[in-house]
Structures are given as structure tokens and as C-alpha cells.
Amino acid sequence: MVAADMTNRFLNLYNHDFARVAVGVPQCRVADPVYNAAQTIALAKQADAAGAVLVAFPELGIPAYSCEDLFQQRALLDACDAALADIVAASRELGAALIVGMPVRVQQRLFNCAVVVARGRIHGVVPKTYLPNYSEFYEARQFNAADDAGVDTVTLLGNDVPFGALIFEAIDQPLLRFHCEICEDVWVPVPPSSFAALAGATVLVNLSASNVVVGKSAYRHQLVGQQSARCLAAYLYTSAGQGESTTDLAWDGQALIYENGDMLAESARFASESHLIYADVDLERLARERMHQTTFGVSVRRHADEVARFRTIKVDVAMPRDAELPLDRAIERFPYVPSDPRRRDERCHEVYNIQVQALMQRLASSKIQKVVIGVSGGLDSTHALLVCAKVMDRLGLPRTNILAYTMPGFATSERTLRQARELMDAVGCTAREIDIRPSCMQMLKDLDHPFAKGEEVYDVTFENVQAGERTNHLFRLANHQGAIVIGTGDLSELALGWCTYGVGDHMSHYNVNASVPKTLIMHLVRWVAETGQLGGAAASKPVSVKGGKETAPSRNVLIDILETEISPELVPGKANGAPEQRTEHFIGPYELQDFNLYYTLRFGYAPRKVAFLSWSAWHDASAGRWPDEGHLVRNAYDLVAIKRNLRIFLDRFFRTSQFKRSCIPNAPKVGTGGSLSPRGDWRAPSDSESVVWLADLDTVPDDPRA
């Protein structure tokens, strides 16, 4: 175990490449820079105390945006400079960088600017590029556009400071590179921030005033969300609030923080007091998305001239790395299953229909109208059967074209066998039952296995004889019936190598579940039951479908299946009927392993960061939202349990399982970062080691506060 380093404390968001950012909306008074600076300083101190490293304020916030021709008055401009001096002085005691809006005089011209202040210094000034001169805005009456400046430095408070197209980089965190643009700049077809992102800016900041009219709030969300997504960046948006002139306009003080299209924070609108919003931005996520999306690099090359215009300015901000600073950000416990009911319904609807459409296409292209599927009475084969049923309905074929076989073996429980029978009957498929024990016994005899002689030897050979016999039957049945075999194994099993090479869940003609993780399959089965996808959520009577009169699955049998403990049922259980093999006892809880899979596969995070995120999501069962309506057991895990299960995942994923993934059947990808196909998302050597990842995991303490 590596000793805890107080300068790299585990329970500190900055030590995992997050940065806490803030947007402040101070109450203002028109043409009163002293008052406005005081409000700005108060919010800056509040944000700094909360651990923020960057704080943005509204456009022209020092004098107030709605000064109109008062901007031409020297007394006001001088007062703005004096107010800026107060802010600079106050910043000496703060660790955060501040971005404030004010008019700046440059060679007898006036510019609408963002001024970056940190640690008692002005680090740079960025002028507004696009001046609105339509509708209610006439900025060109008072200000000049950035391209009219003709200089790259200005004198402000007696010091020469950089001026123009600037990117500011935190000395202590090179991934924190921020750019400033002002209001209208993001409303144009190609915003300056687009080129700044290509030049390496990960955090884009918009100092806006932005009056409010009906529908504008929703449009701001679209605008900011899409810009952050296109630029693979975080985007901070400010706007003016209480105190601006209402001669002709009104102001709602809306502040937004987005990250790669995801909203992290939004302020209350029409607030009567000064207020702040915060968000913990994942800088590594943004950097890795850019690394992964190679077209981002192509765009850098195509716009090389615009990119070259930017200068990088180093900013000395103080990141409180040695303090205890937990992540203040919603981390989904189930990253593949949204906790919001509406989004969860949308996710299930989309995934289910992707699976259905993909299998429809495979049947149509192969000109085959029948499928063979093994039904165990467990979760994965249940969902695969539900997909097959919907496919037959949409193709106008009878569900009897689904040739479903349950094949009890030496360890099949009465419960799963009953569930398999009830499910097949409810779906209305052609149901058959084949006892594989005689053929398995013959093979065990041929192998001279001890079990064939009456000895209770339940080794891997004993298990795989059963898995192989089931697969052999299914493929030969498909040959005999002119059908294809539908696979049932899921993404979680492939990630952990929890499948038998060449047989069982590993092999089929087409696998509808291969990119669907176990935690999502659980919710898909419940969603099919509750939304009546196959004719009624609790249908106990026949329902009509094109091609014949069939029966929809009973809600009760689907719920029974969901409540069945996950087991391969290859080793005989105890006399009380409990399974001898409990899958999660071997490979860890699927809810944790799916979490580990998502952040390892989707983002390539190091184990230390995965553990930090996992602890943030799972250490307190009472915190945050759960993606269920009371159906899930609400578990919590301490850091010791998280490390133990992450170790299982890392060793199995990186060392022992790739050779199985290298030869999996065709299967539809259902989500971003949600495929282990060797032909698509994941191409890896079958003989790699896990030592690098396990060594990184060893740096994680047992106590998060150590």
C-alpha cells in the first residue's frame, strides 16, 4: 500500500482532474461601479471559500450593461477602472481566477471586454468580437469590435497586459485552459469559442447580459448545450440580473454550466439577490473525448490560421489539493440506466427498438424467418426472447416461428425451469424441453470423468460439458429447422469473461444482447412488462397480433425472473433449493462492475479515478437518486469493497478475458462506449497484462479520508 500523500489527498476533486467552477450573478446598480464591485467581490470570496478555481461574472457587470450612452462619460469610465482596482486588490487573498466585464479604453476607442484577474494581477483582456446592432441592442453606437483594435497589449491600471484572442492556462492544472467570449459571440454561426476549443481551451466562458423575452431561456439552453457538445468543452454562461435598467427591457439573471452537452448547473431565474452556481467539471473527460474523436484534430488542421491567432497566458491560481474536498456532482450509480424516470423510459424504448430493428434486418438479409433460442428462466435469455417476440410481430410472422428450448441439466432449479416454461407459454412461441443430462452423461463417460462413476466432482469440465451440450443442440436444431441461433450473453459477462469459450452464452449466429449491460437488461425486462410491449403488461388472456392469436408474457413471470438470484446453474445446489453458484459471489456485484466497465471502457480512466467516482456514487445509499420505483435493493459500498471488486474487474478485463471477446458473433451496438466488439469499439491484444492497472489501484487508500 502506498502511503497517503497529503498533497495528493484521495478525497479531493482536484486530484482527479476535476475543477470546481462558478458563475456569479450579482445584484447591480446602473452606473455605480463601487457598489457593483463590492457585490462582485462578495460573491468571489464566497466561491473561493467553496473551493472554486474559476468564477465568471456578467457582461459589463462593473458599470452594469444597460448604461447606454453613459459609457461615453469619462467619470463612469474612470470609476470602472477604480472599481477594477478594488477587485484586483481583493483577489490577492483568493485562490480563484475571476472574469469580470467592463469597458476598456484603447487608443481613443472603447471596447466591451472580459478582464481576467487572479492573485492580485490582471492577466489579460479579451474584447467582444461581434457587436449586436439590431432589435433592442445598439452596441456599435458605443463600442468597437475586437478586430478593430490593432494592438495585442493594453495599459490597464498602469500595467501592460495581453489583449485580444487569449487562452488562459492554470499553472497547476494544464487541462484547465479557459477562453472568454462575450454574449453575441456565441449567437453567431461560428463563435470565437469554436476556434478557441480547437486551440486547446477546455472551459469556455461567456460573459453575457442577455435580456429576457418569452422562449429565450429555452433557447439559451439549446445554444449553450450544443456549443459545449460541438466543442467537447465545458461552457459557463452568465447573464445580467436584478438591478439592470428596465426602461425597455427585463432581465432574468439566468446562469448555466454545461459539460459536453450535459447540463451541470442552472441558476434560479428572476432572483432578487446576488447568487452563485457551481459545478465540478471533469477536465479529463473533455481531454479524452478530444483524443478519442479524431475529427477534432482534423478540424484543428483545417482551421490552422484561426487557431494560430490565440496566445496562451499562464494564470497562477491556487487549487486546494491538500484539503478534503469531495465531489459535488451527480454521479449516476447506474451509468447505463438514467435515474430520471422519463429519461429511463426513453433509454429503454430506444435500446429495445435498436435490438429489434437489428434482428429484423439480420433475418431479412439472410431470408430466414425462424429463430432458435435457449431459454433458461434467467434474465438474459428472457430479454432476448422478448426481443424475438417483438421482431416476429413487426415482421408479420407468427411467434411460433420462435423455436424456444429449455434444456434442464444437472443443476437446473425447479424455479428457473418453471419460469422458463411459463415464459415460453406466455410469449406464445414454439416451446420444447430437452433434458441434456443423458447426452452430458455420455460425454462424461467418454471423458472418463469421475462424475460418470458416481463421484461428486463438479469441476470446470463438468460445467462446460453442460454448456457445450446446450450449444450443440441449439446449432443443430437451427440447421434442422432452417433457423438462426439467437445469443443471450450480455455486455457485463463479456467484460468479465463470464462465459465459456465457443459455447454457451458466448456463441450464436446473432447476439441481440452483446452490448447491453446486465443492469440495463434488468430494467429493460421490467419496462417491457410494465409498458405492455408485447400486448399488455399483465396479460393473462390471449392478445391478437398479426399472423395469429398469441399470448403476451405475464407480468408476474417477468417479475419472478427479475427477482431470481443470478446463477449459471451448472453445479448442483443444496437440498433447500438454493443455488450452489451465485454469480456475484465470484465476480462481484453487477451494479459495481457495470460502473467500473462504463468508466474504464467509455473514458479510459485510471483505476484511482474510477474508485473515486465509485465512492462518490455508492458510499451513501440515502444520497442521490436511484433508477427505480422501489424495486432495487439500495446498497452502499465502502472504499474497501469498491477496491476489492474493482481489482476483480481489472484483472479479468485486462488479463484473462480478451481472447473470448476477440471472436464474438455479430451484435448491434446500442450505446456510445457500449460495445466490446473486436470489429468496432474495442480492439485489444488477447495476451496483455493487468499489472499497470492493478499498480494504480494500489495507490487508493482503504480510508477515503486517509
Side-chain angles (χ1 to χ4, degrees):
M1 178 63 64
V2 177
D5 182 354
M6 292 302 290
T7 63
N8 194 26
R9 185 188 287 271
F10 179 79
L11 197 56
N12 182 293
L13 62 95
Y14 287 102
N15 295 327
H16 301 279
D17 290 321
F18 285 90
R20 181 163 295 170
V21 297
V23 176
V25 181
Q27 188 179 49
C28 71
R29 292 178 182 171
V30 178
D32 190 349
V34 172
Y35 177 85
N36 297 338
Q39 294 291 309
T40 296
I41 292 168
L43 288 182
K45 290 180 177 179
Q46 184 180 332
D48 185 73
V53 73
L54 179 65
V55 194
F57 295 95
E59 176 183 16
L60 295 172
I62 291 181
Y65 178 80
S66 51
C67 287
E68 297 285 356
D69 285 351
L70 299 183
F71 287 126
Q72 300 290 339
Q73 296 289 314
R74 177 177 175 176
L76 180 62
L77 297 177
D78 288 347
C80 287
D81 289 350
L84 177 63
D86 291 341
I87 294 172
V88 171
S91 74
R92 294 192 185 97
E93 307 301 321
L94 305 178
L98 315 179
I99 309 174
V100 297
M102 63 174 285
V104 175
R105 290 168 281 190
V106 181
Q107 295 180 342
Q108 298 84 50
R109 286 166 294 169
L110 196 62
F111 292 84
N112 179 346
C113 294
V115 180
V116 176
V117 176
R119 310 303 293 274
R121 286 180 52 208
I122 300 172
H123 288 266
V125 178
V126 179
K128 189 171 185 175
T129 302
Y130 295 96
L131 301 180
N133 211 39
Y134 59 88
S135 187
E136 61 267 28
F137 299 110
Y138 305 98
E139 287 185 30
R141 179 183 174 96
Q142 294 97 23
F143 296 100
N144 289 85
D147 291 344
D148 298 332
V151 299
D152 59 10
T153 61
V154 295
T155 302
L156 199 55
L157 302 187
N159 296 303
D160 291 339
V161 296
F163 179 86
L166 308 175
I167 291 175
F168 302 87
E169 180 181 304
I171 294 174
D172 192 31
Q173 172 51 283
L175 291 180
L176 178 57
R177 306 185 82 234
F178 61 92
H179 168 263
C180 308
E181 62 187 5
I182 302 175
C183 200
E184 185 76 8
D185 290 348
V186 78
W187 297 73
V188 301
V190 185
S193 57
S194 297
F195 299 121
L198 296 179
T202 53
V203 177
L204 310 175
V205 182
N206 188 304
L207 275 60
S208 178
S210 190
N211 71 303
V212 61
V213 291
V214 172
K216 197 169 187 179
S217 171
Y219 189 74
R220 288 187 196 122
H221 276 286
Q222 294 174 352
L223 193 67
V224 172
Q226 284 299 309
Q227 184 66 356
S228 73
R230 282 193 300 270
C231 293
L232 302 176
Y235 201 100
L236 282 58
Y237 185 88
T238 74
S239 57
Q242 178 70 27
E244 288 283 0
S245 173
T246 57
T247 302
D248 291 302
L249 303 174
W251 316 86
D252 63 346
Q254 184 176 31
L256 302 168
I257 302 176
Y258 273 78
E259 176 188 294
N260 195 21
D262 298 329
M263 189 182 78
L264 300 185
E266 178 183 16
S267 71
R269 297 169 62 210
F270 304 105
S272 58
E273 303 293 336
S274 299
H275 55 279
L276 282 165
I277 60 170
Y278 302 92
D280 294 342
V281 172
D282 191 343
L283 300 172
E284 184 183 7
R285 175 195 181 193
L286 301 172
R288 290 194 170 277
E289 291 283 24
R290 293 177 177 185
M291 188 187 305
H292 175 74
Q293 189 170 307
T294 55
T295 50
F296 188 88
V298 174
S299 297
V300 174
R301 184 183 73 243
R302 288 181 61 87
H303 300 286
D305 290 343
E306 287 287 348
V307 169
R309 293 177 60 241
F310 289 91
R311 289 177 290 161
T312 298
I313 308 299
K314 299 287 187 177
V315 180
D316 182 18
V317 294
M319 296 186 178
R321 292 182 179 274
D322 58 347
E324 184 175 304
L325 195 62
L327 194 63
D328 185 13
R329 171 177 169 136
I331 302 295
E332 294 273 14
R333 293 177 174 87
F334 298 85
Y336 295 104
V337 186
S339 57
D340 177 69
R342 180 186 60 80
R343 289 183 58 232
R344 185 169 68 252
D345 183 77
E346 291 174 353
R347 178 73 54 86
C348 289
H349 177 272
E350 192 161 25
V351 169
Y352 184 59
N353 281 280
I354 289 171
Q355 293 177 281
V356 168
Q357 187 276 335
L359 181 54
M360 287 173 62
Q361 174 61 26
R362 181 50 55 98
L363 292 177
S365 63
S366 62
K367 296 180 170 53
I368 291 174
Q369 296 188 340
K370 293 182 179 181
V371 297
V372 166
I373 184 172
V375 179
S376 68
L379 196 62
D380 292 339
S381 64
T382 292
H383 182 60
L385 180 58
L386 298 177
V387 170
C388 291
K390 179 65 80 172
V391 167
M392 293 304 165
D393 292 352
R394 289 191 180 169
L395 289 175
L397 298 170
R399 292 185 191 168
T400 50
N401 280 22
I402 305 169
L403 312 178
Y405 296 86
T406 187
M407 293 175 279
F410 297 114
T412 302
S413 67
E414 285 298 320
R415 174 172 181 157
T416 56
L417 182 58
R418 182 187 73 251
Q419 289 171 176
R421 291 166 177 165
E422 290 178 358
L423 179 64
M424 292 186 296
D425 180 63
V427 167
C429 57
T430 298
R432 296 288 186 269
E433 190 168 317
I434 299 175
D435 187 342
I436 63 168
R437 287 174 293 185
S439 54
C440 288
M441 184 60 77
Q442 180 60 53
M443 180 170 283
L444 290 167
K445 288 177 181 178
D446 295 342
L447 296 174
D448 195 28
H449 191 274
F451 183 81
K453 302 172 185 177
E455 300 178 33
E456 294 185 354
V457 176
Y458 307 128
D459 56 8
V460 67
T461 303
F462 176 81
E463 294 184 41
N464 289 350
V465 161
Q466 296 171 81
E469 194 58 40
R470 289 189 174 111
T471 304
N472 187 39
H473 273 79
L474 291 174
F475 273 90
R476 302 297 74 79
L477 286 163
N479 295 155
H480 185 56
Q481 298 287 350
I484 62 171
V485 176
I486 303 303
T488 60
D490 63 47
L491 181 68
S492 308
E493 293 173 344
L494 286 171
L496 292 157
W498 192 249
C499 51
T500 304
Y501 186 87
V503 297
D505 289 345
H506 183 249
M507 194 50 57
S508 62
H509 287 121
Y510 195 74
N511 185 358
V512 295
N513 286 344
S515 71
V516 187
K518 186 79 75 178
T519 48
L520 180 54
I521 284 182
M522 295 175 186
H523 287 272
L524 282 165
V525 171
R526 190 177 297 276
W527 177 81
V528 169
E530 294 180 346
T531 59
Q533 292 298 308
L534 300 180
S540 58
K541 61 178 185 292
V543 296
S544 295
V545 297
K546 189 175 180 181
K549 195 176 189 182
E550 307 300 344
T551 307
S554 163
R555 172 190 173 92
N556 292 334
V557 68
L558 294 180
I559 301 305
D560 286 346
I561 290 167
L562 284 165
E563 294 174 351
T564 302
E565 187 167 13
I566 299 171
S567 169
E569 292 195 334
L570 294 172
V571 173
K574 299 178 174 59
N576 63 5
E580 177 67 21
Q581 294 173 297
R582 292 175 169 84
T583 297
E584 292 177 302
H585 286 193
F586 288 93
I587 61 174
Y590 276 115
E591 57 191 13
L592 276 187
Q593 302 301 31
D594 280 0
F595 187 97
N596 295 333
L597 171 62
Y598 179 80
Y599 286 103
T600 301
L601 178 62
R602 178 69 179 83
F603 299 112
Y605 288 160
R608 184 178 177 87
K609 183 164 184 174
V610 176
F612 174 69
L613 292 170
S614 187
W615 184 87
S616 300
W618 285 99
H619 77 280
D620 183 357
S622 65
R625 300 177 64 177
W626 290 77
D628 74 310
E629 302 298 334
H631 307 302
L632 289 175
V633 177
R634 300 196 171 194
N635 295 314
Y637 299 95
D638 60 19
L639 195 53
V640 172
I642 287 169
K643 286 172 55 183
R644 180 176 64 251
N645 289 290
L646 182 52
R647 183 174 298 277
I648 293 170
F649 173 84
L650 294 170
D651 194 48
R652 294 187 71 99
F653 185 82
F654 287 106
R655 186 178 65 85
T656 68
S657 304
Q658 181 57 35
F659 77 100
K660 297 179 182 179
R661 297 190 288 264
S662 293
C663 58
I664 59 175
N666 291 180
K669 177 182 175 181
V670 303
T672 55
S675 171
L676 286 170
S677 168
R679 300 167 295 276
D681 280 5
W682 185 251
R683 304 182 187 190
S686 295
D687 46 7
S688 64
E689 297 292 338
S690 58
V691 290
V692 169
W693 291 269
L694 296 179
D696 188 84
L697 181 63
D698 285 338
T699 68
V700 178
D702 289 341
D703 181 354
R705 294 179 169 83

